[in-house]
Amino acid sequence: MASNSSSSSAQQRLRIIAGHLQKRPEDEHASVAAQECKAETPRSNPSSAAPVPKRRQEIMKWNGWGYSDSRFLFNKKGQAEFTGKRYRLSGLILPSLKDWFEGTFGANLQHKSPATPTVNLSAVAPPNLNEPFIEDLKAAGVAASHDPEDRVFRAHGHCLHEIFALREGRIGRVPDMVVWPSCHSDVEKIVELACKHNVCLIPYGGGTSVSSALECPHEETRSIVSLDTSQMNRILWIDEKNLTAHVEAGIIGQDLERQLNEHGYCTGHEPDSMEFSSLGGWVATRASGMKKNIYGNIEDLVVHIKMVTPRGVIEKSCLGPRMSTGPDIHHFILGSEGTLGVVTEVTMKIRPIPEYQKYGSVVFPNFQQGVACLREVARQRCAPASIRLMDNEQFQFGHALKPQVSSIFMSFLDGLKKFYITKFKGFDPHHLCVATLLFEGDRGKVLQHEKQVYDIAAKFGGLAAGEDNGQRGYMLTFVIAYLRDLGMDYYVIGESFETSVPWDRVLDLCRNVKERIVRECKERGVQFPPLSTCRVTQTYDAGACVYFYFAFNYRGLSDPVHVYEQVEHAAREEILANGGSLSHHHGVGKLRKEWMKESVSGVGLGMLKSVKEYVDPQNIFGNRNLL
Amino acid sequence: MASRALYSPRHPVLKKRDDFEDVLEERRRSSDLRYALRCYTPTLYKGLVPCKVSMLKSIVLQSDHLQCVIKQVSSESGDSTECVAEEASLILDEMAHRMQLSTVRFFVFTLSKAFKRLFRSVCVNEEGIQRLQQAVQEHPVVLLPSHRSYMDFLMMSYLLYMFDLPLPVIAAGMDFMSMKFIGEMLRMSGAFFIRRSFGGDKLYWAVFSEYVKTMLRKGYAPIEFFLEGTRSRTCKSLTPKTGLLNIVMEPFFKGELFDVSLVPVSISYERVLEESLYARELLGVPKPKESTSGLLKARRVLSEDYGSMHVYFGHPVSVRSLAEGKIKRSQYNLLPRYIPQKPSVDTHEFLNDAAFRLVRIQEENMVLKPWVLIATLLLQNPDGMDLSSLTEQTDWLRHLALAFGAFLDWPDHEACSEVISCSLALHRRLLSVSAGHVQLSVTDAPQVETTPEEAVFQRAVVVLSCASYRNQILHVFLRPALLAVAMQSANSSRKDDIYNCFNFLRNMFSNEFILCPGDSVQDFEEACYLLMKRGVLQVLEHEIVMSASGQSTLAFLCSVLEPFLQGYQVVCRYLCEETNENLTEKEFIPAVRSFALKLILAGNTG
């Protein structure tokens, strides 16, 4: 840490510059040599950023992704635009999105499938309240509500079927009440009372689950209480000697990062959902961050976890960086998906904010070459903070999200680039694919690192394609969920799912799964060819994480969600048959439960069950995920 | 879709088959030379990785799989890896094809000439061709023709060229290699050569399987091989071999290919070129060695009339749908895919089952000519038949065969007697017709002085030649015939007893006929259904009763199986009476043959 003092003054300067840059509306094409940590970070002013309110529906959509003020729409001229002020893309016109959208899906702007605008409160079943529990809770002074809007908001994650039902105004089983503990001891009280009165608890963090984990089990007859951790959102202490921070688990990603930034630190944990997902949720699902190559995944980041279970509190006795004390009890907690208790506080590693950040991109003649390059980068263990490889369909998708070019010069430049790559270098525009890169560290090392990676890429026919392409690639990740809502306005439904797979099977798995999706759609009567695309999003020593996007136009289908689910099911079967894992970071929830035994063996499942039995014999944490 | 057809309950009568078109017609009208030189632009596989023949070789030699086996072999044998690699390279040189279009064009030219002389027509189902054209684009294709004649693979390549389909690479037996010039010609037209047996040779197996898989994975060309392994000398389908089938399915099992299409092809001849050659071979005259001079001598065949030939391209069978629910592909997850793995018990069972079903499809799509019916009847009446009763019975048999789903090519608007006399004329070498009496007889070798052994031999040649035609229709009658014999020998009308008897016969004949393992109940029900529909039987809840009018049909069916039962009896008698302890496999067949000869000469075959 010799450079600590010099770099921290540099960081301060950078932050000030970054602050200026962010406020400039015309910064879309500014090169991003010095920018605030992420493109995705909302542009909202840090000081005005409030923590998540109890009534989330006031700022967030009740039946779609993200903030109410931010959405894609096709304006009267038929051009796509993104509303609001929060994002870099906000307020911009995306001229090529319409053509891409209509061309890819066979969709038509004339054919709309709008969502129900407001919650039909009469469709919400009256709460099944456990009065003695409520009285004791009141006595304990814990905030609670059984307002239907609050309950509906916490009855779902963001699986397609969940959102689709909400848009149609269909509301299934919802929690009977919501409670907001404000600290660890509140949680202890709630859990104790739940045990006493036999109430079912479902922990709720950011609500970004895509595994049906938040769905209330319909067989549950007890009163279901959603335990919303959002008010437990303080950083309790920062230890600069050991570079750790002790944080309440309800904090959401962007708040954690912003508050640490104010002290000159970051966790570096940036899952795509970090605007909304919570620290406790990350722990409970074994989350993975985009920059794991530098900072590690959540299991590498946590030093200490405190969880309240029906049996009491589970935690380790010290903050030692590694222990040999039998199986690591953290691994009972990581990935437990809310079946054992509530994670209340986490001590995690922090790092000084990197001095320098640089995006980049490489174009490859085909996906195969791209994968070979990523494999080589992993072999040499020189992966940048993030390296992702998009296939051709996704590359084109990314292009459709290019904002309107403000100058003739820029569009001329774009044309020239395209000419160079397709004509001069002979890349087939229907095969080429792009890797996006993000480098982080001190400036000299970043530049050196960058050169090393581009040199490897060149061996696989890769051409450096600029920072802009790279940045847009990452932007795609965080707007994709907003885009799904746009699709759903025009009869297009879709979703993403992921897996991890050994290197030698990456290509085969990608091809087979994509083809399986296309074929299943055809066999199930989908009238238009689906979008079936993938990208490699993480590299490891022994394999990679692969992410699939799958969407189709459902006009002419009577039960589109069912068709969707069948296809996704088939795709998952295909993944497993090709040596892929059940999940890399989304988790199992209820959506993928049926494959758990196959995935971890009968004995493995038995082990997990016996833990559950010991920790929670009454099944208080009754979301029925995982097991 | 295809596999649904494969497993659906059979309704023989309702089976829809494509129409045929004669491909020689066009050849008779235009220049063969121009045809051979025409622009050939085959439909290509969408995932094709363009690859030269020479590149293919280095890809195979560099493959992880082969490298892995080379290391294994080297550490087991103590030879250096370079040495083993060199050996692998030699094996590949010996094996590999060197397909080139110019040689193919030469073949197209000469074969056009030859086919026109040999055959009256070569009929192909064009819908099958269209399906193949579709299949070729979608997934790598494996062509599985039946094997009755050397002509088979020449005809296959010829037809594929004709319809602008990619030319196949063909797994051929090493025997051809010994034909100096022709061997190389075949190599250049896409044949690759494999040794007849290499059971324990790990390195050979590795080179061979990697070679085939590489071509398949790259979509280099359709792979063609014969499920039956060799030409059937009896025209009865042989029980399939699964080795190559496993090789072509493995890339799917291991996820290297999304799917593989298997296309069964049924090739049938009105007159088989090797007809009497086969009979002699069966009687112990050694098969003439494949040699170029032998081929030149065989030119004689060019002057004869071989009638028509039918090639039926079946529906492509998707390996993916075939394996659905039967093969757990994740079993390959835990071992790097380049490490060779013996197929598991389940996989093996699956392969065997699939192979049998594919051969069944071949059988069912095999076109049968009227002569097949006539031969069946003549064999059942060794003393000959009057032309009129032959006509009458052939007509009866024709209707029975059709009712059982036979794929009969019977001229539409001709009188039955006309059809029969045509057939008799074509096969006159096996017959004597005098004063309206038709009889199988030796017309070829009118030697005056023959020993009794020679006479039996001559007669046997004729009978076996004729049997090779009857054998073509066996698959149609097989199941009802097994039921008929079972009823006869069960001595009971209880359904259970008859089924047990049926099952016994079925097991006994499991290597004789194509009877899918495990289909026993299905076969029994099919037999009952067919005979019931024909009014031969009444199947009650626990009993099976013969109806009064069914006698003749049952008698006919029993005599269909008669020669096989007799054959098995003779072998059993031999084993009981004559066996000495140290009988080797090599001695066994000649010994049985001479034992049977003795019995025949003694007039004691009962």
Side-chain angles (χ1 to χ4, degrees):
Chain A
M1 297 304 134
S3 65
N4 232 357
S5 60
S6 68
S7 72
S8 79
S9 68
Q11 283 153 17
Q12 210 174 7
R13 210 175 58 238
L14 273 172
R15 275 199 308 282
I16 295 164
I17 298 168
H20 291 314
L21 277 174
Q22 280 195 330
K23 277 172 204 144
R24 274 168 48 190
E26 67 280 11
D27 69 343
E28 301 323 314
H29 293 285
S31 75
V32 278
Q35 213 174 33
E36 181 63 69
C37 240
K38 292 176 50 275
E40 291 91 321
T41 311
R43 225 200 281 166
S44 48
N45 191 335
S47 58
S48 74
V52 180
K54 286 181 187 165
R55 290 185 63 77
R56 298 189 190 213
Q57 56 273 30
E58 282 166 4
I59 58 163
M60 286 159 75
K61 297 191 193 84
W62 70 279
N63 63 354
W65 179 261
Y67 296 108
S68 307
D69 56 20
S70 301
R71 53 175 307 182
F72 283 97
L73 52 82
F74 287 112
N75 62 24
K76 293 209 176 72
K77 284 191 215 150
Q79 286 172 315
E81 60 177 87
F82 193 46
T83 64
K85 295 193 178 67
R86 291 175 189 268
Y87 299 93
R88 291 193 53 200
L89 220 50
S90 296
L92 293 182
I93 301 279
L94 310 165
S96 25
L97 188 59
K98 174 175 174 271
D99 286 346
W100 177 84
F101 183 71
E102 292 187 330
T104 305
F105 296 107
N108 188 322
L109 298 195
Q110 309 305 316
H111 301 296
K112 287 202 73 173
S113 50
T116 316
T118 51
V119 199
N120 175 10
L121 294 178
S122 62
V124 184
N128 163 24
L129 297 174
N130 185 320
E131 295 299 342
F133 173 75
I134 294 177
E135 263 162 47
D136 282 359
L137 204 63
K138 245 183 217 158
V142 178
S145 154
H146 48 84
D147 171 79
E149 281 189 15
D150 289 336
R151 290 162 54 217
V152 168
F153 200 96
R154 284 159 189 81
H156 66 87
H158 284 272
C159 283
L160 175 77
H161 67 95
E162 295 171 315
I163 298 300
F164 195 89
L166 287 176
R167 287 173 59 95
E168 293 204 321
R170 280 185 285 120
I171 289 160
R173 176 86 153 98
V174 304
D176 299 299
M177 65 185 291
V178 183
V179 298
W180 286 275
S182 56
C183 60
H184 171 78
S185 66
D186 276 358
V187 176
E188 278 187 295
K189 283 180 217 156
I190 295 167
V191 174
E192 198 191 312
L193 293 176
C195 292
K196 185 175 158 199
H197 299 290
N198 196 21
V199 161
C200 172
L201 290 179
I202 297 185
Y204 183 91
T208 56
S209 148
V210 282
S211 59
S212 301
L214 292 168
E215 234 170 55
C216 298
H218 7 248
E219 63 266 47
E220 183 58 69
T221 52
R222 296 173 294 181
S223 178
I224 298 178
V225 175
S226 176
L227 190 154
D228 184 327
T229 58
S230 62
Q231 307 307 305
M232 307 197 302
N233 54 16
R234 292 164 298 169
I235 295 178
L236 297 174
W237 47 255
I238 292 174
D239 177 355
E240 293 184 283
K241 296 236 164 47
N242 294 305
L243 286 180
T244 51
H246 191 63
V247 189
E248 287 185 313
I251 195 164
I252 60 165
Q254 58 168 325
D255 294 343
L256 174 61
E257 220 52 24
R258 187 174 47 242
Q259 287 177 39
L260 285 174
N261 284 177
E262 283 164 18
H263 295 88
Y265 295 103
C266 67
T267 64
H269 185 67
E270 296 183 10
D272 292 350
S273 61
M274 73 172 292
E275 288 175 86
F276 306 106
S277 57
S278 70
L279 171 56
W282 300 338
V283 170
T285 55
R286 293 180 68 87
S288 169
M290 168 177 112
K291 298 196 287 199
K292 73 95 195 152
N293 291 336
I294 293 183
Y295 300 95
N297 286 318
I298 193 70
E299 68 271 21
D300 311 308
L301 283 164
V302 294
V303 176
H304 184 269
I305 305 172
K306 205 190 252 184
M307 178 165 81
V308 180
T309 75
R311 280 272 173 192
V313 176
I314 175 173
E315 63 179 322
K316 290 183 184 175
S317 66
C318 68
L319 298 178
R322 181 182 188 273
M323 301 180 198
S324 172
T325 46
D328 191 338
I329 56 157
H330 281 176
H331 288 289
F332 289 123
I333 301 170
L334 287 155
S336 59
E337 305 196 355
T339 57
L340 299 178
V342 187
V343 177
T344 55
E345 289 171 18
V346 176
T347 309
M348 69 191 299
K349 300 178 197 171
I350 55 173
R351 299 291 304 166
I353 297 177
E355 176 195 325
Y356 187 68
Q357 216 183 28
K358 191 172 181 188
Y359 286 97
S361 65
V362 181
V363 187
F364 292 97
N366 55 46
F367 191 64
Q368 205 175 340
Q369 295 280 75
V371 171
C373 172
L374 261 63
R375 205 278 160 267
E376 186 56 30
V377 166
R379 197 196 312 272
Q380 296 192 20
R381 291 200 170 164
C382 64
S386 170
I387 177 165
R388 287 177 170 178
L389 179 74
M390 301 189 275
D391 69 1
N392 183 264
E393 290 87 347
Q394 227 166 95
F395 162 73
Q396 298 190 15
F397 184 11
H399 251 255
L401 291 175
K402 250 186 171 170
Q404 198 154 36
V405 174
S406 40
S407 71
I408 294 176
F409 179 69
M410 286 303 287
S411 74
F412 173 72
L413 220 57
D414 281 349
L416 212 60
K417 263 189 266 177
K418 194 176 164 192
F419 178 80
Y420 176 72
I421 287 175
T422 59
K423 296 290 183 307
F424 193 71
K425 283 288 173 180
F427 285 18
D428 180 343
H430 296 289
H431 288 291
L432 64 80
C433 72
V434 178
T436 58
L437 310 166
L438 173 62
F439 297 91
E440 244 184 50
D442 64 65
R443 192 159 192 279
K445 278 193 188 139
V446 162
L447 296 179
Q448 201 184 343
H449 193 176
E450 191 185 20
K451 182 171 178 330
Q452 188 187 5
V453 172
Y454 283 125
D455 283 350
I456 294 173
K459 284 191 197 128
F460 296 91
L463 292 175
E467 295 178 44
D468 195 41
N469 273 320
Q471 207 172 359
R472 202 170 35 250
Y474 288 100
M475 183 178 68
L476 178 64
T477 321
F478 87 100
V479 295
I480 184 86
Y482 284 106
L483 273 168
R484 181 172 78 176
D485 291 337
L486 176 73
M488 286 168 98
D489 287 337
Y490 296 93
Y491 287 96
V492 173
I493 52 175
E495 177 112 86
S496 59
F497 46 90
E498 38 73 39
T499 186
S500 56
V501 59
W503 278 115
D504 69 315
R505 294 174 188 260
V506 170
L507 277 177
D508 289 331
L509 180 131
C510 290
R511 182 200 53 236
N512 288 353
V513 172
K514 285 186 341 186
E515 183 150 357
R516 178 77 181 262
I517 288 172
V518 172
R519 184 194 269 220
E520 293 282 337
C521 280
K522 204 167 165 188
E523 276 175 21
R524 294 175 201 288
V526 176
Q527 312 277 317
F528 306 87
L531 173 71
S532 172
T533 152
C534 72
R535 63 169 186 238
V536 180
T537 59
Q538 290 289 9
T539 62
Y540 291 89
D541 286 349
C545 168
V546 181
Y547 215 93
F548 293 92
Y549 288 139
F550 154 47
F552 62 85
N553 181 343
Y554 67 85
R555 289 189 68 218
L557 293 182
S558 60
D559 192 351
V561 171
H562 182 63
V563 169
Y564 171 82
E565 283 172 343
Q566 284 180 314
V567 178
E568 188 187 335
H569 189 273
R572 181 59 61 182
E573 293 274 349
E574 192 64 32
I575 287 174
L576 297 176
N578 282 274
S581 65
L582 188 53
S583 172
H584 170 263
H585 61 274
H586 281 177
V588 174
K590 291 182 268 293
L591 194 61
R592 286 176 276 274
K593 236 163 93 163
E594 64 180 290
W595 291 290
M596 259 308 266
K597 189 170 167 193
E598 187 186 322
S599 291
V600 302
S601 79
V603 177
L605 192 64
M607 274 178 161
L608 298 179
K609 279 187 172 150
S610 68
V611 170
K612 165 81 178 171
E613 215 141 278
Y614 170 76
V615 173
D616 182 15
Q618 276 180 275
N619 194 27
I620 296 301
F621 288 91
N623 59 17
R624 295 181 200 247
N625 291 339
L626 202 59
L627 300 174
Chain B
M1 288 162 292
S3 83
R4 247 168 265 148
L6 201 57
Y7 284 102
S8 67
R10 292 188 285 267
H11 282 289
V13 194
L14 300 174
K15 201 171 295 149
K16 197 194 158 312
R17 276 146 177 155
D18 306 336
D19 296 329
F20 284 102
E21 205 144 314
D22 178 11
V23 296
L24 286 188
E25 213 176 282
E26 163 73 19
R27 284 298 79 245
R28 293 191 206 279
R29 277 189 271 127
S30 64
S31 150
D32 289 329
L33 187 61
R34 195 178 310 144
Y35 180 67
L37 295 177
R38 88 195 159 94
C39 176
Y40 165 70
T41 46
T43 336
L44 294 175
Y45 168 49
K46 67 174 184 207
L48 179 73
V49 184
C51 176
K52 292 224 176 67
V53 173
S54 54
M55 251 167 72
L56 207 55
K57 193 184 153 188
S58 68
I59 293 171
V60 172
L61 292 175
Q62 294 308 316
S63 68
D64 294 337
H65 170 214
L66 195 53
Q67 288 296 324
C68 166
V69 173
I70 286 173
K71 273 185 208 128
Q72 266 180 22
V73 169
S74 139
S75 74
E76 278 164 22
S77 66
D79 298 332
S80 68
T81 49
E82 292 77 23
C83 190
V84 181
E86 183 57 33
E87 200 184 321
S89 170
L90 289 175
I91 293 174
L92 190 54
D93 282 336
E94 176 196 85
M95 182 184 307
H97 71 83
R98 284 197 305 276
M99 175 136 48
Q100 55 183 50
L101 197 56
S102 54
T103 315
V104 173
R105 289 189 194 282
F106 168 78
F107 266 109
V108 166
F109 177 72
T110 41
L111 288 178
S112 291
K113 297 279 180 224
F115 288 155
K116 281 190 284 188
R117 288 189 72 164
L118 290 169
F119 301 111
R120 294 183 195 168
S121 63
V122 173
C123 298
V124 178
N125 63 327
E126 283 204 44
E127 279 164 75
I129 293 283
Q130 280 157 19
R131 288 191 295 258
L132 184 58
Q133 254 151 2
Q134 197 66 38
V136 156
Q137 294 172 44
E138 293 288 311
H139 303 292
V141 163
V142 176
L143 296 165
L144 301 168
S146 59
H147 204 8
R148 302 286 173 268
S149 165
Y150 280 143
M151 222 30 120
D152 293 329
F153 61 84
L154 296 176
M155 185 51 91
M156 282 293 288
S157 297
Y158 182 77
L159 289 175
L160 295 181
Y161 173 88
M162 180 172 253
F163 289 102
D164 268 332
L165 281 156
L167 290 164
V169 290
I170 308 141
M174 205 57 128
D175 338 340
F176 286 107
M177 274 265 295
S178 49
M179 301 166 79
K180 274 254 154 55
F181 176 67
I182 297 291
E184 285 312 297
M185 288 289 282
L186 291 175
R187 204 192 272 284
M188 286 189 277
S189 57
F192 62 96
F193 297 99
I194 39 180
R195 296 180 191 161
R196 279 273 169 225
S197 61
F198 46 89
D201 193 338
K202 234 189 213 177
L203 186 66
Y204 192 89
W205 179 259
V207 173
F208 167 52
S209 63
E210 190 56 35
Y211 181 59
V212 175
K213 284 184 202 172
T214 302
M215 290 191 286
L216 203 65
R217 285 191 289 242
K218 302 259 167 214
Y220 179 85
I223 312 280
E224 178 180 318
F225 68 91
F226 300 105
L227 272 171
E228 299 164 282
T230 182
R231 286 175 301 156
S232 165
R233 268 60 165 181
T234 59
C235 279
K236 193 156 56 67
S237 295
L238 304 175
T239 48
K241 309 270 182 292
T242 54
L244 247 168
L245 195 62
N246 183 36
I247 291 177
V248 298
M249 284 187 175
E250 227 179 44
F252 164 74
F253 295 157
K254 292 189 170 181
E256 294 161 340
L257 286 171
F258 183 79
D259 202 352
V260 174
S261 298
L262 308 175
V263 181
V265 183
S266 311
I267 307 177
S268 40
Y269 299 85
E270 188 164 15
R271 239 189 103 192
V272 180
L273 276 76
E274 293 98 324
E275 161 186 279
S276 66
L277 225 54
Y278 286 160
R280 279 163 214 274
E281 227 180 286
L282 289 170
L283 289 167
V285 179
K287 164 178 140 183
K289 238 183 144 20
E290 283 83 352
S291 70
T292 309
S293 62
L295 185 84
L296 292 174
K297 280 184 211 139
R299 265 177 320 175
R300 188 175 70 97
V301 299
L302 281 178
S303 57
E304 294 220 13
D305 177 0
Y306 290 90
S308 62
M309 177 180 173
H310 285 84
V311 183
Y312 193 97
F313 287 86
H315 280 271
V317 175
S318 137
V319 174
R320 175 175 278 266
S321 29
L322 207 54
E324 201 184 318
K326 297 204 169 61
I327 293 287
K328 226 172 127 55
R329 280 182 287 157
S330 56
Q331 67 182 296
Y332 296 92
N333 285 356
L334 296 181
L335 195 65
R337 291 179 294 177
Y338 63 84
I339 298 179
Q341 218 176 337
K342 281 241 166 65
S344 64
V345 178
D346 286 353
T347 311
H348 206 271
E349 209 169 277
F350 167 75
L351 287 167
N352 200 41
D353 187 63
F356 267 88
R357 284 174 204 280
L358 288 161
V359 176
R360 282 284 287 142
I361 297 179
Q362 284 178 358
E363 279 187 334
E364 283 173 5
N365 290 334
M366 202 78 91
V367 169
L368 304 170
K369 301 296 281 186
W371 167 247
V372 168
L373 302 175
I374 301 166
T376 308
L377 290 168
L378 288 176
L379 279 170
Q380 288 189 8
N381 297 279
D383 301 326
M385 298 169 86
D386 285 335
L387 202 51
S388 60
S389 92
L390 178 64
T391 310
E392 185 189 324
Q393 288 201 41
T394 304
D395 197 46
W396 172 82
L397 189 53
R398 173 187 158 208
H399 286 103
L400 184 70
L402 284 174
F404 288 178
F407 194 1
L408 202 55
D409 179 43
W410 190 279
D412 274 337
H413 309 290
E414 272 175 66
C416 190
S417 55
E418 193 76 14
V419 174
I420 288 174
S421 65
C422 266
S423 294
L424 294 181
L426 188 69
H427 295 276
R428 61 184 172 277
R429 288 162 66 100
L430 300 173
L431 302 165
S432 70
V433 186
S434 62
H437 193 77
V438 188
Q439 195 171 5
L440 290 183
S441 81
V442 188
T443 51
D444 210 21
Q447 286 132 319
V448 194
E449 285 169 60
T450 48
T451 62
E453 284 86 0
E454 275 167 3
V456 172
F457 182 87
Q458 297 296 356
R459 174 141 185 91
V461 168
V462 173
V463 170
L464 284 174
S465 301
C466 196
S468 74
Y469 294 99
R470 174 209 55 203
N471 285 347
Q472 296 177 20
I473 203 171
L474 280 178
H475 68 93
V476 173
F477 295 127
L478 177 60
R479 277 146 261 267
L482 285 172
L483 181 59
V485 176
M487 287 178 67
Q488 198 182 46
S489 48
N491 257 333
S492 153
S493 58
R494 282 191 53 222
K495 205 173 175 178
D496 287 355
D497 294 338
I498 294 173
Y499 174 74
N500 286 339
C501 210
F502 176 89
N503 205 20
F504 169 80
L505 288 166
R506 202 181 168 278
N507 286 338
M508 187 174 76
F509 284 131
S510 61
N511 287 316
E512 188 70 42
F513 306 114
I514 303 302
L515 291 158
C516 299
D519 270 7
S520 183
V521 175
Q522 228 171 301
D523 283 349
F524 183 70
E525 277 168 5
E526 185 185 318
C528 289
Y529 168 77
L530 289 173
L531 288 177
M532 204 161 64
K533 204 185 56 170
R534 204 60 198 155
V536 175
L537 300 177
Q538 271 179 290
V539 181
L540 310 171
E541 196 176 348
H542 297 294
E543 291 200 352
I544 297 180
V545 191
M546 188 176 71
S547 46
S549 59
Q551 186 60 48
S552 58
T553 308
L554 283 184
F556 164 78
L557 289 172
C558 286
S559 45
V560 163
L561 279 189
E562 187 65 31
F564 298 92
L565 288 164
Q566 255 178 32
Y568 277 50
Q569 263 165 0
V570 168
V571 174
C572 289
R573 269 175 74 179
Y574 168 73
L575 288 172
C576 293
E577 291 170 22
E578 303 258 332
T579 305
N580 62 21
E581 296 277 302
N582 311 315
L583 187 70
T584 63
E585 212 179 318
K586 223 175 175 179
E587 296 160 353
F588 177 63
I589 292 171
V592 170
R593 215 178 267 134
S594 54
F595 179 74
L597 179 65
K598 245 189 287 169
L599 291 181
I600 292 168
L601 287 173
N604 183 14
T605 48

